[in-house]
Amino acid sequence: MALTDEQIERYSRHIILKEIGVKGQKKLLGAKVLIIGAGGLGAPVAMYLAAAGVGTIGIVDADDVDLSNLQRQIIHSTADVGKAKVKSAKETMEAMNPDVLVKTYRMFVDSTNIRELIREYDFVIDGTDNFPAKFLINDACVMEKKPFCHAGIIRFKGQLMTYIPGQGPCYRCVFKDPPPKDAVPTCKQAGVIGAMGGVIGSLQAMEAVKYITGVGKNLVGRLLTYDALNNDFHSIKLPPANGKCPVCGENPTITELIDYEQQECAEAQHGKDL
């Protein structure tokens, strides 16, 4: 596939990088990335991957744009309030770069749909804001042997790590199990500085670009944290992949996906019944 004159001009700043060049840009144009969540993290990821020329980008989100989203979810505008987030994101991305095919999924991911959903993609971005979804994404990616980048933000802090099958620990190796319900506040409860989504989401986009092009080192076996108030980045070396991990270990005990959110609701209802 030869690049057109317009593509050569559009991606010229990539092409002059010896690490990327025409070959790397063609890899980006042929790649498929799935972004789960079109919010504070997913918004900047989607915009940078579209700008970079990632050929197919999937966006998963069940929500509509709310006025309170606009402080950080930069893919949406005031005129988009009330519109499905995936529709708003698609319109912004396609206006930015007509090279990109944007596939939208207005839905919640759960144990019944996520494995089939991620199967056609080369890399997955976790842009969700709750622990049940994060563990579900991790376990599905491990089972389907798909690389993904986890991230989380709250208040003035953020973190991210990348999982590549066979190369390092998965999210469950590091964090074991979801915390008890309401043990950790959400952004809605605790707040988040808007630009934090941009900082961490941009780093997630970079992880996808590096993986696709084969440039540099991904955050495998490392957790990168950022404290905006102190302007501190820390790269924390993680323990190696745990052979006893219940999902990615040698003898996995988690062989079916767990819908923790539904499980919590069922347990709460059971408590009421008692």
Side-chain angles (χ1 to χ4, degrees):
M1 174 185 71
L3 298 182
T4 65
D5 290 344
E6 183 178 326
Q7 287 174 324
I8 290 171
E9 182 177 357
R10 178 183 291 272
Y11 306 117
S12 60
R13 301 305 190 274
H14 276 175
I15 292 169
I16 61 174
L17 293 169
K18 63 181 178 61
E19 295 88 349
I20 304 292
V22 171
K23 183 177 179 181
Q25 189 59 52
K26 287 182 177 180
K27 287 181 179 179
L28 289 169
L29 288 164
K32 297 181 178 182
V33 177
L34 181 69
I35 303 168
I36 303 179
L41 291 167
V45 174
M47 293 182 74
Y48 270 112
L49 293 185
V54 171
T56 302
I57 303 174
I59 304 274
V60 188
D61 202 299
D63 292 337
D64 296 332
V65 179
D66 182 84
L67 189 61
S68 67
N69 299 151
L70 303 184
Q71 161 256 13
R72 64 201 176 282
Q73 299 178 17
I74 57 171
I75 205 165
H76 313 299
S77 69
T78 302
D80 295 319
V81 171
K83 186 183 294 184
K85 284 186 178 180
V86 292
K87 185 174 188 296
S88 169
K90 178 182 173 74
E91 290 172 352
T92 303
M93 294 161 70
E94 288 180 340
M96 177 185 293
N97 190 350
D99 282 348
V100 177
L101 172 64
V102 181
K103 301 178 75 170
T104 61
Y105 308 88
R106 191 179 185 185
M107 58 194 282
F108 291 106
V109 293
D110 61 27
S111 63
T112 67
N113 58 33
I114 189 170
R115 292 186 68 171
E116 183 177 358
L117 189 62
I118 68 176
R119 206 165 278 161
E120 70 171 280
Y121 290 91
D122 305 312
F123 194 88
V124 177
I125 297 288
D126 168 17
T128 63
D129 62 356
N130 65 87
F131 289 102
K134 292 185 180 301
F135 278 88
L136 181 70
I137 292 167
N138 175 81
D139 295 354
C141 286
V142 170
M143 291 176 185
E144 291 294 327
K145 296 180 171 56
K146 294 291 183 180
F148 80 97
C149 183
H150 147 79
I153 56 174
I154 193 167
R155 299 189 180 99
F156 291 87
K157 294 185 177 182
Q159 66 179 37
L160 71 156
M161 62 172 279
T162 294
Y163 166 77
I164 297 177
Q167 293 189 23
C170 74
Y171 183 79
R172 194 179 283 275
C173 287
V174 180
F175 297 105
K176 312 302 180 189
D177 295 294
K181 184 176 174 60
D182 298 325
V184 179
T186 64
C187 287
K188 186 175 182 179
Q189 295 166 328
V192 63
I193 193 72
M196 182 57 68
V199 174
I200 303 300
S202 296
L203 289 170
Q204 283 189 287
M206 183 65 77
E207 286 295 284
V209 168
K210 288 193 298 182
Y211 176 80
I212 292 163
T213 59
V215 169
K217 295 181 180 180
N218 283 104
L219 282 167
V220 177
R222 290 183 293 151
L223 181 72
L224 185 65
T225 67
Y226 175 55
D227 179 341
L229 289 180
N230 296 313
N231 207 28
D232 285 335
F233 277 99
H234 288 288
S235 179
I236 302 167
K237 186 175 181 180
L238 300 172
N242 182 359
K244 296 181 180 179
C245 173
V247 67
C248 77
E250 297 171 2
N251 298 293
T253 56
I254 297 176
T255 56
E256 294 184 1
L257 296 175
I258 304 168
D259 286 312
Y260 285 104
E261 202 158 20
Q262 294 179 17
Q263 190 179 78
E264 288 171 355
C265 291
E267 288 172 355
Q269 183 60 49
H270 179 65
K272 289 180 182 179
D273 294 341
L274 292 177

